[in-house]
Amino acid sequence: MAEAAQISTNAPMTSSRRTYNRALARFVRHRLALFGLAAIVLLVLLCAVGPYLWPYNDLRIDIRHRFAEPFSGAHIFGADELGRDLLARLMTAGRVSLTVGFAAMAISTVIGTFIGTIAGYFGGIVGTALMRFVDAVLCFPSIFLLLALAAFVQPNLLAITLVIAATAWMEVARVVEAQIRSLRERDFAVAAQALGASDAHIMFRELLPNAIAPIVVASTLNVARAILLEAYVSYLGYGIQPPTPSWGNMLNNAQEYLSTAPWLALLPGLFITLAVTGFNFVGDGLRDALDPRLDLP
Amino acid sequence: MSVGAETILEVLELRKWFSVGGGVLSGAKSTLKAVDGVSFSINRGEILGLVGESGSGKTSVGRTILRLAEPTGGTIRFRGQDITHISRGALRSIRPKMQLVFQDPFASLNPRMTVGRIVGAPLMIHEPGLGRAERARRVGEMLQTVGLSPGHAERYPHEFSGGQRQRVGIARALMLAPEFLVADEPVSALDVSIQAQIINLLLDLRARLSLAILFISHDLAVVGHVCDRVAVMYLGRLVETAATAELFANPRHPYTEALFSAAPDPDPEIKRTRVILTGDIPSPINPPTGCVFRTRCRYALPACAEAVPPLRTVGPGHQSACIRDDLSLQPAI
């Protein structure tokens, strides 16, 4: 009986407006999360709108201004070895990198949520088999798995996104599995069962909405991971292929000129850092803000 | 109950065993006999109380009857139909007729759903063709039946008090017009003043809908007020059953006496000798031989260890599983 009471007080009553307000208040108090959110909003706006406003195109070659230094002329962030405008390239590359990040997050969240829900709800042999499969995939160092997979596919935006999603869904699956496994023992799940509800009804209508908070946290952190992974593979040459810029292949391109034109490496590196830390801070902030234990009366 | 009343539920030698321990690498499984050979029946419109201390298997009986847990053995007959092992699909059409009310009104309602959706869920599952407006109308009616207002449908469970939430849980259980309700400690999580309201609601609904209720409780005062008959359970077995008045006036099993004695007296002036049960309820994994109560029974004889005493008829409608007929036990106050 004491156990039941304890479970009920731990209930994530996130449906309440009051709880959302409290969660919001906690998020706003989290300075780093706000900084992260600002960085993300800024980057997304810059990459989405910037190319329409900036007079230079990411592919236009301007040989007279090769290796133009930042803040020295018309090219604010300088130009690369072909005289292409660096800011224009960073913005276009940002579109690619952020698209890969968000798309891979969406795909991996859907896969992870689905597998985690099935495993957590059915348990037994099905659950064990699925979760041991998750463990097996987790055993591969993801960067090698990624490179191995990337070596087999034609590197384009879709393929890279799918490959990254394939190495990132396991975390979500584990989080969701643990949540669903505990939720399904709760009385409201038993009540749905007693009403004769189908498994799909119980899983997706009754249980999953109660697991939203940890899913949101895990998928936010996944965006950061996906951006970083895309940078890895593109840097190593298996990812987005030139001349299409991505933050990763810009770094790759820049390493030849590291001593003579260091800004070519520093600026893409800065953008990657900004995006990844931004998402990580937001993820941490959400984790703290949505923690139901903090809602105890 | 009146003669010739229709039996709605019949349970014969019900067993529910759980295997505990025994991981992949460590063998050594043992069996926990939560319910071990329980038989009773309930008539239409009757309230049967099931009492016993924590761990005696009351909740397991309720859940197993509703097929929320698979029975290990025995027979469950509902409205004359054997439902012990019928498939999930076949069960689906019976589910509306047997429902469950939970102990903890805070855990039994999905915190993410409005009360309207919670109470309407049975209709969505069993009458999916029903229009939105019609469903809302029936939810509103049901909320009124249990003493809430139709306007409450748009609110979330956390906006209600414990008693109101319990009403929501009852509304959900009644939505499909069940004939049999398992009420698993429906008032033990509520304040005393609210307990009375919920009990009166259940009694009122029983009278109006001729509901049969299996009323699981450890509170003898509540059971005495609500139930027509009472079954006393100890360590997975029934030790005594009788009509409520008969049981309270003339208990025949030492465990029943101990339960009465443990209930608080409303009148501090009355001095009674208390029968204090020493120790905890034994482990159902390794129960005592013979009579399972003998380890805590102050009337135990060597003979009690020899065989499991069966339920014997000791009076009209009164059965007890004690081999000693020579005891004069203290009645309830």
Side-chain angles (χ1 to χ4, degrees):
Chain A
M1 308 304 111
E3 193 182 298
Q6 191 194 345
I7 289 171
S8 77
T9 47
N10 278 344
M13 285 180 279
T14 21
S15 56
S16 75
R17 204 172 303 135
R18 211 182 324 152
T19 312
Y20 271 138
N21 286 345
R22 262 185 290 171
L24 188 65
R26 278 198 297 268
F27 186 80
V28 171
R29 272 203 303 274
H30 204 293
R31 293 268 166 85
L32 283 176
L34 281 185
F35 161 76
L37 191 65
I40 293 167
V41 169
L42 210 69
L43 274 178
V44 168
L45 276 179
L46 183 72
C47 298
V49 184
Y52 297 112
L53 305 176
W54 189 237
Y56 296 100
N57 174 307
D58 63 300
L59 297 177
R60 201 183 81 179
I61 295 171
D62 179 4
I63 220 75
R64 281 178 306 163
H65 288 108
R66 351 179 20 224
F67 298 119
E69 287 182 21
F71 311 114
S72 64
H75 302 288
I76 282 188
F77 279 0
D80 67 5
E81 77 279 7
L82 296 174
R84 293 177 296 194
D85 182 75
L86 202 64
L87 178 58
R89 284 183 70 73
L90 282 170
M91 292 190 295
T92 317
R95 286 183 169 188
V96 171
S97 295
L98 291 172
T99 306
V100 170
F102 280 111
M105 175 273 281
I107 296 169
S108 62
T109 303
V110 169
I111 299 176
T113 303
F114 187 74
I115 292 193
T117 306
I118 301 275
Y121 181 76
F122 289 105
I125 294 175
V126 178
T128 309
L130 283 174
M131 292 325 284
R132 290 303 80 79
F133 175 64
V134 168
D135 290 346
V137 181
L138 270 176
C139 284
F140 292 105
S142 62
I143 186 69
F144 288 113
L145 184 64
L146 194 64
L147 289 176
L149 285 172
F152 286 108
V153 295
Q154 199 70 19
N156 58 39
L157 199 61
L158 180 66
I160 295 300
T161 307
L162 290 179
V163 164
I164 290 174
T167 64
W169 57 272
M170 296 84 71
E171 298 291 339
V172 183
R174 296 184 103 178
V175 169
V176 174
E177 192 259 354
Q179 284 284 318
I180 297 292
R181 189 148 43 89
S182 91
L183 285 170
R184 67 156 300 177
E185 301 300 328
R186 297 263 296 274
D187 280 351
F188 65 82
V190 177
Q193 203 189 338
L195 288 171
S198 63
D199 290 332
H201 179 103
I202 299 176
M203 279 191 281
F204 296 112
R205 297 222 181 162
E206 299 275 350
L207 303 183
L208 204 50
N210 285 288
I212 289 294
I215 295 176
V216 167
V217 173
S219 42
T220 309
L221 297 174
N222 251 353
V223 179
R225 230 175 97 98
I227 290 174
L228 206 55
L229 283 175
E230 184 276 326
Y232 281 156
V233 276
S234 295
Y235 173 73
L236 293 169
Y238 290 100
I240 306 298
Q241 298 297 307
T244 307
S246 88
W247 289 336
N249 70 22
M250 286 174 75
L251 274 181
N252 179 17
N253 209 26
Q255 61 186 346
E256 287 177 53
Y257 314 106
L258 203 53
S259 53
T260 53
W263 62 90
L264 291 184
L266 285 177
L267 285 167
L270 183 73
F271 273 52
I272 294 172
T273 312
L274 213 56
V276 171
T277 49
F279 278 107
N280 278 331
F281 287 153
V282 171
D284 285 348
L286 283 175
R287 192 200 320 263
D288 294 346
L290 295 176
D291 188 345
R293 269 169 301 183
L294 299 175
D295 279 331
L296 291 181
Chain B
M1 281 317 294
S2 57
V3 181
E6 183 195 350
T7 301
I8 191 150
L9 178 86
E10 199 178 4
V11 177
L12 286 171
E13 286 299 311
L14 185 71
R15 289 194 302 280
K16 175 62 193 173
W17 297 354
F18 297 96
S19 54
V20 280
V24 180
L25 298 176
S26 65
K29 276 196 182 182
S30 43
T31 308
L32 186 157
K33 298 179 177 177
V35 182
D36 196 20
V38 165
S39 306
F40 59 88
S41 66
I42 302 179
N43 293 329
R44 191 175 291 277
E46 184 186 31
I47 302 185
L48 174 68
L50 187 60
V51 298
E53 67 197 289
S54 299
S56 54
K58 311 182 297 281
T59 297
S60 291
V61 169
R63 302 251 164 138
T64 311
I65 292 172
L66 295 179
R67 285 286 310 275
L68 294 169
E70 280 306 303
T72 310
T75 312
I76 306 159
R77 221 173 261 133
F78 182 64
R79 299 197 297 180
Q81 185 190 356
D82 185 343
I83 61 162
T84 322
H85 296 294
I86 61 172
S87 71
R88 227 181 128 169
L91 210 51
R92 203 179 138 90
S93 59
I94 295 171
R95 291 255 182 242
K97 296 293 158 205
M98 40 193 247
Q99 278 300 312
L100 177 61
V101 175
F102 292 87
Q103 172 181 15
D104 182 353
F106 292 83
S108 64
L109 307 178
N110 192 332
R112 286 260 168 191
M113 290 188 177
T114 60
V115 163
R117 271 192 72 190
I118 291 171
V119 179
L123 293 176
M124 278 176 73
I125 293 162
H126 287 279
E127 296 172 43
L130 217 58
R132 221 170 225 275
E134 173 65 8
R135 193 160 63 225
R137 191 186 63 75
R138 285 179 58 180
V139 166
E141 273 178 18
M142 184 49 73
L143 288 176
Q144 273 176 327
T145 307
V146 299
L148 296 170
S149 87
H152 285 137
E154 284 150 37
R155 304 222 207 136
Y156 284 94
H158 73 270
E159 298 173 59
F160 293 89
S161 68
Q164 285 174 315
R165 290 189 199 200
Q166 199 57 294
R167 287 174 193 268
V168 174
I170 293 172
R172 168 177 60 192
L174 294 182
M175 200 69 219
L176 297 167
E179 295 170 18
F180 171 59
L181 206 60
V182 172
D184 190 354
E185 308 235 17
V187 296
S188 50
L190 305 175
D191 288 346
V192 176
S193 57
I194 310 295
Q195 286 190 359
Q197 293 177 14
I198 296 295
I199 286 168
N200 290 338
L201 172 65
L202 284 173
L203 288 174
D204 175 46
L205 292 168
R206 183 271 290 261
R208 271 200 280 165
L209 311 170
S210 73
L211 265 176
I213 302 179
L214 178 66
F215 192 93
I216 300 172
S217 181
H218 61 260
D219 186 337
L220 285 161
V222 171
V223 166
H225 179 65
V226 174
C227 303
D228 303 308
R229 277 192 306 134
V230 180
V232 182
M233 194 165 176
Y234 183 78
L235 212 63
R237 295 195 173 99
L238 291 190
V239 294
E240 186 167 10
T241 64
T244 309
E246 163 75 7
L247 186 86
F248 277 57
N250 184 21
R252 296 297 296 271
H253 196 283
Y255 181 58
T256 313
E257 179 194 41
L259 281 183
F260 286 148
S261 179
D265 284 333
D267 185 352
E269 299 298 314
I270 299 176
K271 294 270 179 278
R272 358 176 21 222
T273 44
R274 292 219 177 249
V275 183
I276 310 284
L277 282 185
T278 50
D280 284 329
I281 191 164
S283 162
I285 294 172
N286 188 15
T289 55
C291 173
V292 283
F293 186 59
R294 73 180 165 80
T295 51
R296 298 166 80 194
C297 179
R298 57 181 189 157
Y299 308 107
L301 300 173
C304 293
E306 278 161 21
V308 179
L311 272 177
R312 292 179 304 127
T313 302
V314 293
H318 193 158
Q319 295 176 301
S320 166
C322 184
I323 58 171
R324 294 191 61 174
D325 283 326
D326 54 329
L327 302 174
S328 66
L329 302 173
Q330 277 183 41
I333 342 102

